[in-house]
């Protein structure tokens, strides 16, 4: 088996890296720098977007963090990371990857759609997305059933970063959810590897 994660320590690749550690399958990490390495023709042959993370599993290419999380959960079922409740799992995984991330990014960039144009954007409004996200994590330990899953890797990363960088409000439900995740050994291992790589420059 060949499993290689192309990433950068200062990127969304940290989400995929956490997922790799949770899955527990042996893998190689190839760190790419922004600019020349990501723009190289051989990498563009794998990912025409020229971005990370990009996962290669026995010749199959998987890109986009949410897709990598779901793929790894399905490819390595013994890790028990596929959502128990698939309806909730798929719903919130793709909500976080689509409407939520777009709403957060647009707000950070200072773009707020006029109220009369909210129907034109997939997320409606930032406030509506945040309120919806709260319903996913309030009142239960994990998002897609009684156990931790790949959905918690992705959504947890969004909430953890949102609290750290103040792109999400510090609501009790968000803080309590992130507190349940932030000390997971797999996350700590992934963060340690990325922090060490970032320190090397």
């Amino acid at each position: 088996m060949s499993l290689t994660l192309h990433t950068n320590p200062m990127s969304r690749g940290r989400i995929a890296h956490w997922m790799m550690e949770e899955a527990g399958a042996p893998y190689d990490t190839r760190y790419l720098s922004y600019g020349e390495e990501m723009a190289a023709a051989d990498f563009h042959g794998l990912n025409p977007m020229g971005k990370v993370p990009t996962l290669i599993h026995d010749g199959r290419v998987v890109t986009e963090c949410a897709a990598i999380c779901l793929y790894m959960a399905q490819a390595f079922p013994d890790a028990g990371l596929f959502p128990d409740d698939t309806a909730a799992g798929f719903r919130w995984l793709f909500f976080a990857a689509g409407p939520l991330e777009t709403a957060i990014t647009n707000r950070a960039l200072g773009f707020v759609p006029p109220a009369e144009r909210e129907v034109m954007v997939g997320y409606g409004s930032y406030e509506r997305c945040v309120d919806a996200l709260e319903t996913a994590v309030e009142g239960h330990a994990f998002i897609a059933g009684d156990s931790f899953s790949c959905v918690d890797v992705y959504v947890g990363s969004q909430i953890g970063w949102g609290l750290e960088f103040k792109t999400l409000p510090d609501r009790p439900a968000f803080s309590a959810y992130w507190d349940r995740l932030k000390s997971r050994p797999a996350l700590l291992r992934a963060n340690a590897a990325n922090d060490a790589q970032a320190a090397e420059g």
Side-chain angles (χ1 to χ4, degrees), residues 93-160:
L93 179 64
F94 292 106
F95 168 80
L100 179 66
E101 180 161 346
T102 303
I104 290 173
T105 301
N106 280 353
R107 188 171 189 267
L109 294 173
F111 172 73
V112 178
E116 68 274 12
R117 297 294 182 90
E118 286 181 357
V119 295
M120 294 184 65
V121 294
Y123 60 87
S125 71
Y126 169 84
E127 292 76 15
R128 190 181 304 172
C129 277
V130 171
D131 289 345
L133 179 65
E134 187 171 20
T135 70
V137 301
E138 190 173 34
H140 40 87
F142 303 109
I143 291 177
D146 295 329
S147 59
F148 178 88
S149 75
C150 65
V151 181
D152 296 294
V153 172
Y154 190 86
V155 179
S157 295
Q158 294 280 16
I159 289 176

Side-chain angles (χ1 to χ4, degrees), residues 40-109:
D42 62 338
F43 185 60
H44 270 248
L46 299 174
N47 186 346
M49 290 288 287
K51 57 181 279 192
V52 295
T54 296
L55 177 68
I56 313 298
H57 180 210
D58 289 341
R60 294 183 290 273
V61 180
V62 189
T63 65
E64 311 311 318
C65 290
I68 290 172
C69 288
L70 190 58
Y71 177 86
M72 288 296 295
Q74 188 172 44
F76 300 95
D78 290 346
L81 296 168
F82 200 79
D84 298 326
D85 183 341
T86 55
F90 291 3
R91 174 190 180 187
W92 293 113
L93 179 64
F94 292 106
F95 168 80
L100 179 66
E101 180 161 346
T102 303
I104 290 173
T105 301
N106 280 353
R107 188 171 189 267
L109 294 173

